[in-house]
Amino acid sequence: MSTELPPVAPEVLAEAVENLTPRLRKKLDAATEGCAAGAVLTADGTVTLRFGEDALVTLSPGPAGTITTADQAACSCLLAPRCLHRAAALGAAPLADTPPEPVAAAEPARPGEPGQPGQPPEPPEPAGSTETTGPTGPVEPAPALTAAQLRAAGALWHVAAEALAAGVTAGGAVVQAELLRAAHTARLAGLPRAEAAALRVVRGLRAARERRADQRLGDLTEAFRELLHTAGMLASDSADPALTGTTRRAYAPGGSLQVQGLCREPVLSATGYGGVVTHLLSPDGIPYSVSDVRPGGLARARGAGSASVALGGATLDHAGLARGGLRIVGATVSAEGRLGAGRGVRATPLPGTAWTEQPAARLFARPAAEAVAELLATPDAAESALLGCDVTVVGAAGEHLLVRETRPDAPLLRLVPAHPHPELAHTENLRRIASYPGLLLRVLGRPDLDRTATLRPLAVGPVPGAEHTLRLPEEWLGRADLGYDRLQGAHFPQGDAAPVPLPAAEGPDPLADSPLWRVRRLLETGVAGGRRAVAEAARGTDSLAAASYGPLRRAGLTGAAELAAALAAEADRRPRDVFGRLADPSPDGYAWAWLAAATHLAAAERCLIAASWAAAPGAAAPVSGR
């Protein structure tokens, strides 16, 4: 019977494609398409794919279930291993996650602990379910770039520019393999951030070409922007050396710690992983986390919320830790703030504290707009930061829950499920809350910095001193984890005089109402159809150009208009010599023009998103055109 193909290491796929002749490379996309449907799992754990009568490809994954070496993929044809069948089979398999570089820890890790020796690294989390962790101390400054790093970054920039010029329509297996080869070279040179950006682009190209339901062109556009920015700045030797990134390290000594639980969050990955992450906070406000993420999908994500915490012998489950605390001796902590469970770790449970007490109280002490502005200024930390605020429920509007922060001139905020899977409790809980307009609510969640005034709540609780607010059981310690606890009618005010319901009408969206969408459409056109599509879209009469860029100029977005016009002109610039050959075939100029427009657009959108959190209803802060 058919089965899924084992993940393949990027460098193995890149080498297989590189070994093909130019004639076979032209046939690779057609050979790859649909070949996975005939995969068969044999009794010895290998996976076979048949190509005709004389070619049988055998994939023999290692103990971790991944193809990591070239000899684990074999073909029976006469051209093997430089054959089309083997490259097509590897190209149809999903890309494996890059393992972390081994770094010695202070204490030996327990076999099987996530992220430590003895277990494969956890996969990247899907949007909306990224694990929340925090910095554990000062980061050592990165050394200056070496000659090998500069060469690797330059090579990655070149293939990224070629991939952008090709677009999704021409970004087949050969283009992807070139990106994978350059990404592997960047990894060997010590540029993990550049490698990770390249792998995101390859995965995005695959999803777009396969027309997967969860594929978004905007996500691939952002992945291209990050890759070009990272590679271009590194290759020019003008970037901060910290742009090289840091490889995920083993757990380092953290000394003695005391942490208090904030909430727990289910983790569900598209690659079949599931589990829970419990968010913690130290007395000085540094965030930590304890995670338990392993293969198992939805069933494990649902059950892990009440699973035992494997940390230093502490007799707690994740539900208890989210409402309790720990005193840890000999802590081991990752660079991201995840607490490890080495043999020398000892943990003692502590009584929990309410959100009204420190250290949690400081999360709700300032306006949300201030916290969001700070996060937008530090994008690397923004993805994992939590934000707290007190709100008044307005009501449902489509799939959103509209609320208003309880401060003067506060804008409407949109609450959307942190995890939209219907088997998790987020969506159901938000729908029940929406049926109580006027309810006062304390919310802890993760701001969605790609959308205006949008928060993805992880937990809610009653507002201190308010009457028309939640009535939670005493053992819940004043908060409900929206992914696990299910709110019932008894948890809401009964017989209290409700405030006059506020109208459930969405206010203006400064991002959606801005003409910046014209720039985004041009950038996404380039990603989808390549350089030629941008040139074709920009050709036309002067009136057509005025219709495209005139609204931008009238809105004061002259910088965006000029960069978009420059991109269109560069895309259409194809000088040729007297023999009709391209005089400048390099895609560098086009890639820099695209990157300039994309970078300006991202900055302008950040300004509008920040304004959406701070502005009074109906008002939006202007965005500078330059």
Side-chain angles (χ1 to χ4, degrees):
M1 58 184 239
S2 298
T3 187
E4 293 184 359
L5 298 181
V8 58
E11 61 271 19
V12 175
L13 173 57
E15 182 182 9
V17 176
E18 187 177 11
N19 288 335
L20 295 178
T21 63
R23 181 179 65 86
L24 292 179
R25 290 187 185 186
K26 295 179 181 179
K27 300 180 179 181
L28 182 56
D29 287 331
T32 301
E33 185 176 356
C35 73
V40 177
L41 178 65
T42 63
D44 59 356
T46 62
V47 177
T48 60
L49 298 91
R50 181 165 293 281
F51 293 81
E53 297 182 358
D54 301 325
L56 180 69
V57 176
T58 302
L59 303 179
S60 306
T66 303
I67 303 295
T68 57
T69 60
D71 58 3
Q72 291 176 323
C75 181
S76 62
C77 77
L78 296 178
L79 292 179
R82 301 173 180 270
C83 65
L84 180 64
H85 317 113
R86 180 173 174 272
L90 292 173
L95 290 179
D97 296 306
T98 304
E101 297 293 338
V103 178
E107 293 288 344
R110 292 196 216 171
E113 180 178 351
Q116 300 196 23
Q119 170 152 336
E122 294 168 18
E125 305 303 338
S129 61
T130 305
E131 293 186 10
T132 298
T133 55
T136 61
V139 179
E140 296 182 4
L145 296 182
T146 65
Q149 288 176 322
L150 291 174
R151 289 194 299 271
L156 185 56
W157 162 266
H158 178 72
V159 296
E162 292 280 4
L164 177 68
V168 172
T169 54
V174 174
V175 171
Q176 294 170 28
E178 291 173 352
L179 279 168
L180 293 176
R181 169 64 70 184
H184 183 59
T185 303
R187 179 191 175 197
L188 296 179
L191 302 175
R193 182 166 177 173
E195 181 211 15
L199 293 181
R200 278 193 290 273
V201 168
V202 173
R203 290 189 172 99
L205 286 173
R206 284 187 164 199
R209 291 178 63 84
E210 295 170 7
R211 291 185 170 89
R212 298 179 193 168
D214 59 347
Q215 184 272 336
R216 291 180 63 250
L217 187 57
D219 293 339
L220 181 55
T221 302
E222 176 59 25
F224 263 112
R225 186 187 70 82
E226 182 181 357
L227 173 59
L228 290 170
H229 170 75
T230 303
M233 295 300 290
L234 290 173
S236 64
D237 199 17
S238 60
D240 184 341
L243 195 61
T244 59
T246 55
T247 305
R248 190 175 178 180
R249 302 196 304 261
Y251 289 45
S256 297
L257 294 175
Q258 181 174 320
V259 292
Q260 292 292 332
L262 290 174
C263 64
R264 57 192 163 137
E265 174 187 7
V267 175
L268 182 60
S269 167
T271 55
Y273 282 70
V276 63
V277 56
T278 297
H279 303 289
L280 311 165
L281 203 61
S282 68
D284 52 358
I286 296 177
Y288 294 90
S289 69
V290 174
S291 65
D292 182 6
V293 181
R294 301 176 188 274
L298 176 63
R300 195 169 196 290
R302 297 174 62 182
S306 56
S308 297
V309 176
L311 184 65
T315 56
L316 278 178
D317 57 20
H318 281 273
L321 180 57
R323 295 182 172 94
L326 286 176
R327 179 179 288 111
I328 308 171
V329 178
T332 56
V333 189
S334 75
E336 300 84 10
R338 183 179 297 129
L339 297 176
R343 284 198 295 266
V345 178
R346 296 293 179 267
T348 304
L350 295 175
T353 59
W355 282 355
T356 55
E357 303 175 26
Q358 297 297 349
R362 63 169 52 95
L363 295 174
F364 305 91
R366 60 175 175 168
E370 292 183 10
V372 170
E374 182 178 306
L375 293 176
L376 288 169
T378 55
D380 289 341
E383 295 181 358
S384 60
L386 295 184
L387 179 149
C389 58
D390 293 344
V391 300
T392 302
V393 174
V394 175
E399 298 180 355
H400 304 149
L401 169 60
L402 296 182
V403 299
R404 193 183 302 276
E405 194 176 358
T406 56
R407 61 180 177 85
D409 299 326
L412 283 174
L413 306 182
R414 300 171 181 87
L415 302 188
V416 298
H419 302 277
H421 197 287
E423 295 297 323
L424 297 175
H426 295 90
T427 301
E428 180 184 341
N429 281 330
L430 288 185
R431 286 174 180 168
R432 186 173 289 273
I433 293 172
S435 63
Y436 289 85
L439 181 73
L440 293 173
L441 203 63
R442 175 158 280 191
V443 180
L444 181 67
R446 184 177 296 112
D448 187 339
L449 300 182
D450 293 328
R451 305 168 69 176
T452 54
T454 300
L455 183 67
R456 297 184 179 272
L458 303 180
V460 296
V463 173
E467 293 190 11
H468 196 72
T469 188
L470 291 176
R471 305 283 193 266
L472 300 181
E474 185 176 350
E475 60 270 19
W476 286 15
L477 205 62
R479 64 258 204 179
D481 297 327
L482 293 178
Y484 291 105
D485 301 320
R486 294 187 181 270
L487 296 174
Q488 306 297 330
H491 299 147
F492 292 88
Q494 302 295 324
D496 293 346
V500 177
L502 300 173
E506 294 200 54
D509 187 333
L511 186 58
D513 297 341
S514 167
L516 286 172
W517 64 267
R518 299 172 185 273
V519 182
R520 175 163 293 280
R521 185 173 66 178
L522 184 65
L523 295 172
E524 292 181 351
T525 297
V527 170
R531 178 174 184 167
R532 180 177 298 179
V534 174
E536 291 291 341
R539 288 186 186 133
T541 63
D542 292 340
S543 60
L544 180 60
S548 298
Y549 306 130
L552 289 168
R553 298 184 185 279
R554 287 193 295 271
L557 301 170
T558 55
E562 291 175 4
L563 289 171
L567 171 60
E570 181 62 31
D572 203 27
R573 188 183 68 84
R574 307 287 281 179
R576 298 182 180 273
D577 60 18
V578 294
F579 299 103
R581 297 171 300 192
L582 286 175
D584 182 16
S586 172
D588 286 0
Y590 170 74
W592 280 117
W594 188 95
L595 178 58
T599 302
H600 185 278
L601 174 66
E605 288 181 339
R606 282 196 299 271
C607 291
L608 290 174
I609 290 171
S612 71
W613 284 84
V623 178
S624 174
R626 296 196 180 262

